[in-house]
Amino acid sequence: MADRTADRQHAGPLAGLRVVDFSTGITGAYASKLFADAGADVVKVEPPDGDPLRRWSASGAPIADGESGVLFHYLNASKRGVVADLESDEGRALARDLVARADLAIESFGPGGGAARGLAWDDVRAANPACTLVSISPFGLTGPWAERACTEFTLQAAVGSTAHRGLPELGPVGAGVRIGEGIAGVYGALGGLCGWLPARRTGAGQHVDLSMFEALVLSMTIYHDLNSQFFPGPLPQSIETPSIEPAKDGWVGICTITGQQWKDFCAVIGRPDVGEDDRYYDAKVRMEHLEFIHGVIHAFTKEHTVDEIIELLSLMRIPVNPLGNGQTLLAMDHLRERGVFVRNPAGFEQPRAPYRLTAVNGGRAPELRPAPALGEHTQQVADELAREGRASARTTKPEGGGPLPFEGLRVLDLTAFWAGPVGTSVFGDLGADVVKVESIQRPDGMRFAGSVRNDRMWEFNPIFHGANSSKRDVTLRLDSPEGVALVKRLVEIADVVAENFSPRVLENFGLGWDVIHALNPRAVLVRMPSFGLDGPWRDRVGFAMNIEQVSGLAWLTGYTHLPLVVRGACDPLGGMHAVFATALALEELRRTGKGQLVEVPLVEPALGIEAEQIVEYSAHGVLLERATNRGPFAAPQGVYPCADLDETGRSNGHVAIAVATDAQWRALCTVVGDPSWARAPALATADGRRAAHDAIDEGIRAWTQQRKRAEAAQVLLAAGVPASECVNPHALFPNEQLT
């Protein structure tokens, strides 16, 4: 395909990169969206009847013939589109020609699907040895679970995310609308980028086998595999306190990660005695006394408005924010002032690319081009292929270097807690020399959050271990002239400097962008504040739970009457976006020789993956709502109690089930014995099943309660019904698929 940027002004860090996307659905589309937003030429290849996502609307808004839903427009803006029937010789020939001229290909055919279409790794390598292939599948292309039926809802249950979220008396609850598919998308984009970078040096493309299951293990659990080695036994079902609390005029989101924040919170709400009680520093103890703790909190929150609570808690630097949703987000002053929302050519507002690179277009979001109509560019692309001819297939002249994407890169790591450290650990895992800076007086706070209490407490936090692999560590004082002088020496030899303080901290240390750029004009400074470097919320403190509260992730998670946080997903999500954005800045450095400031506010990647409720409201005026474990994608969908019992005789086992197709519904009916409640003709369609969800749930529960969860899941999976045990997160290992 021709380089469409050669005759115009530089259009993005990845201008000239050629990506061909054979995937369908959300995950691959989000991965290729990140490339398109960065200036790559992305060609979306669809079957003759189109990507099913064209006909999807979470709100149920009608989609006219020949038109596409708003989520499709959001995910596929700025791409070109062709139609190729990969069941035909002609379609396969077109696919091979596209691969022959591509730097990167993305597919989601599943195990054996690529081979059936002439697009297995060996086929891609034969067509173009320099092309990197990203294969997206639920469990990976190999292993005993590779062919297992699933949806994102059952994947959440399988990784242990669902079982420990919620109130024990109401049962476990999954996270909201297809969050994990977006999360896996950024891992797919990052995997593709990390395959392409060394391919440019070596001339040999790489095969990236992306398991959505493994991406969710990293993002929707809080290193529970490590936690189980530090804290044996099952992890109890729980909610956070304080978290999303009722105010006089709505919901307010609060987070107290540190003991000092909890103590200060109790003082603000007029109960310093509770803050001084050592027992309640432990969130597990607060959960054991939930009625008392909620009484203390709600006596304050229900007597104040959301704005009043935010003003009071912010004065004490306690993380607090309003609860966002598809309607309120569009009106939030901070997001409007920062220009977070841009106009999609299809006529609605959407989140912009979730980072700012100041040296590219002045940090402005790239101009969006319309998503392609089905087959819109088929002839255009065919003409380009004909002009280039087979003789000019994409070739790469090796530049020398090894197979790891970040070999030789030097990263100065000033980050703490989770989002920053997990991002810098990726650089270390993939070849960079990462030096983490702490001080004895003020070490990384994650070393102590929920740690085992003993004389080696510094080294006994599982999240710290999980997020800080492949690094070296030094201690020095940033609040002393000698310490700052040492940091400046490290800046002078670094390629990347990364930090995730609140915005004013770096400048207070005398290490702002102007200073770092003067010390090392080639250095890339990566900043990861919660809400950005400017705007009305600039100085607000925020953790992952705050981002989930304000971004809309929590709005769609929880019980109908009670929104809940996802628990931590925004930290690895922000970290992976930061790695991707940093790689873009390094491409700019390669092109211009100049370093730049990279800004990745944690709230913006969260908005990017949960944009569906924003675009649905902007386009159709429909606010998506929580429905406990139900959702618009599958029906029936739920978490059902099984016959497992705990020591008190209470049900201690659940199975997650999500019926996404009519064929799966017929299989479910067969498994449960074709009962009379399942025979109504209206239940043959998803709409009919959704209307009768209460009755169906009652029938499924009658079946699951006669079986232990492992047996129920096995029988359903054997019939091809998406199902999973609700795995306790401390019991994720041993796991035959991960092994």
Side-chain angles (χ1 to χ4, degrees), residues 23-107:
S23 72
T24 56
I26 293 173
T27 299
Y30 189 76
S32 61
K33 168 184 162 48
L34 290 174
F35 286 103
D37 286 344
D41 179 18
V42 178
V43 174
K44 180 175 178 61
V45 181
E46 299 180 73
D49 56 351
D51 183 342
L53 194 63
R54 287 186 179 274
R55 299 179 288 280
W56 167 255
S57 170
S59 69
I63 301 172
D65 291 344
E67 300 295 329
S68 300
V70 290
L71 185 62
F72 181 90
H73 280 283
Y74 164 68
L75 291 171
N76 292 286
S78 301
K79 302 175 187 178
R80 297 194 286 169
V82 305
V83 165
D85 182 0
L86 299 182
E87 305 296 325
S88 70
D89 292 341
E90 181 182 7
R92 292 188 181 191
L94 175 58
R96 284 194 300 271
D97 287 346
L98 288 167
V99 167
R101 291 155 179 80
D103 300 289
L104 177 65
I106 301 172
E107 59 92 359

Side-chain angles (χ1 to χ4, degrees), residues 347-437:
F348 56 84
E349 289 193 273
Q350 67 168 67
R352 67 184 176 190
Y355 53 79
R356 291 201 297 196
L357 280 64
T358 56
V360 180
N361 298 323
R364 296 187 303 275
E367 183 179 347
L368 295 173
R369 299 190 305 277
L374 181 61
E376 179 180 350
H377 301 100
T378 303
Q379 190 58 53
Q380 180 191 82
V381 170
D383 291 345
E384 290 172 6
L385 294 171
R387 283 197 303 272
E388 292 185 11
R390 290 289 302 175
S392 64
R394 188 73 157 176
T395 58
T396 298
K397 182 179 179 181
E399 301 174 1
L404 292 177
F406 300 122
E407 280 188 16
L409 192 73
R410 290 171 294 189
V411 179
L412 177 59
D413 182 4
L414 306 178
T415 67
F417 285 94
W418 190 3
V422 75
T424 51
S425 76
V426 170
F427 285 111
D429 292 341
L430 296 178
D433 179 14
V434 181
V435 175
K436 182 178 179 70
V437 174

Side-chain angles (χ1 to χ4, degrees), residues 149 635-636 657-675 677-678 683-684 689 696 700 703 712-723:
I657 302 171
V659 173
T661 68
D662 295 341
Q664 291 169 0
W665 167 249
R666 291 191 292 272
L668 173 66
C669 293
T670 300
V671 166
V672 300
D674 195 25
W677 57 261
L683 302 188
R689 295 190 292 274
I696 293 173
I700 294 175
W703 182 83
Q714 289 168 4
V715 171
L716 290 163
L717 287 167
V721 179

Side-chain angles (χ1 to χ4, degrees), residues 169-184:
E169 63 270 22
L170 297 180
V173 61
V177 180
R178 301 169 77 176
I179 293 170
E181 293 179 61
I183 289 173

Side-chain angles (χ1 to χ4, degrees), residues 51-354:
D51 183 342
L53 194 63
R54 287 186 179 274
R55 299 179 288 280
W56 167 255
S57 170
S59 69
I63 301 172
D65 291 344
E67 300 295 329
S68 300
V70 290
L71 185 62
F72 181 90
H73 280 283
Y74 164 68
L75 291 171
N76 292 286
S78 301
K79 302 175 187 178
R80 297 194 286 169
V82 305
V83 165
D85 182 0
L86 299 182
E87 305 296 325
S88 70
D89 292 341
E90 181 182 7
R92 292 188 181 191
L94 175 58
R96 284 194 300 271
D97 287 346
L98 288 167
V99 167
R101 291 155 179 80
D103 300 289
L104 177 65
I106 301 172
E107 59 92 359
S108 59
F109 301 128
R117 295 165 175 83
L119 287 171
W121 172 229
D122 287 343
D123 300 316
V124 170
R125 198 162 37 176
N128 181 356
C131 183
T132 285
L133 174 66
V134 178
S135 296
I136 298 168
S137 61
F139 295 101
L141 298 180
T142 60
W145 292 8
E147 309 263 3
R148 175 175 283 193
C150 74
T151 70
E152 193 236 2
F153 183 79
T154 63
L155 281 177
Q156 288 186 29
V159 303
S161 173
T162 303
H164 79 120
R165 184 186 299 108
L167 297 166
E169 63 270 22
L170 297 180
V173 61
V177 180
R178 301 169 77 176
I179 293 170
E181 293 179 61
I183 289 173
V186 69
Y187 282 94
L190 188 57
L193 193 68
C194 291
W196 166 66
L197 288 171
R200 184 170 59 189
R201 294 197 297 265
T202 66
Q206 300 198 41
H207 188 194
V208 179
D209 180 2
L210 176 73
S211 161
M212 295 175 65
F213 178 55
E214 293 172 47
L216 266 62
V217 168
L218 287 169
S219 302
M220 297 193 73
T221 71
I222 308 175
Y223 292 105
H224 285 135
D225 54 319
L226 283 173
N227 265 285
S228 66
Q229 299 170 54
F230 287 71
F231 302 97
L235 190 68
Q237 188 180 347
S238 65
I239 64 173
E240 285 70 17
T241 51
S243 184
I244 302 169
E245 310 298 346
K248 185 185 288 187
D249 59 345
W251 297 99
V252 63
I254 307 167
C255 173
T256 56
I257 289 289
T258 69
Q260 188 63 52
Q261 288 169 346
W262 165 252
K263 185 176 179 179
D264 291 344
F265 172 74
C266 290
V268 171
I269 67 175
R271 292 299 304 267
D273 58 311
V274 177
E276 295 290 346
D277 191 326
D278 289 348
R279 294 176 299 164
Y280 297 129
Y281 280 90
D282 189 336
K284 293 180 181 178
V285 175
R286 297 202 294 269
M287 185 65 195
E288 292 168 0
H289 297 84
L290 186 61
E291 185 176 355
F292 167 72
I293 293 295
H294 270 172
V296 168
I297 294 172
H298 296 167
F300 171 81
T301 60
K302 288 183 177 181
E303 295 302 314
H304 294 81
T305 66
V306 171
D307 288 344
E308 289 169 348
I309 294 168
I310 289 173
E311 181 178 2
L312 288 168
L313 296 187
S314 294
L315 291 173
M316 297 294 291
R317 297 193 62 74
I318 296 168
V320 60
N321 43 257
L323 187 68
N325 60 41
Q327 178 181 15
T328 60
L329 283 163
L330 289 164
M332 285 185 182
D333 59 344
H334 178 77
L335 303 178
R336 305 294 323 177
E337 187 170 316
R338 281 179 48 82
V340 168
F341 299 115
V342 297
R343 196 75 175 168
N344 187 285
F348 56 84
E349 289 193 273
Q350 67 168 67
R352 67 184 176 190

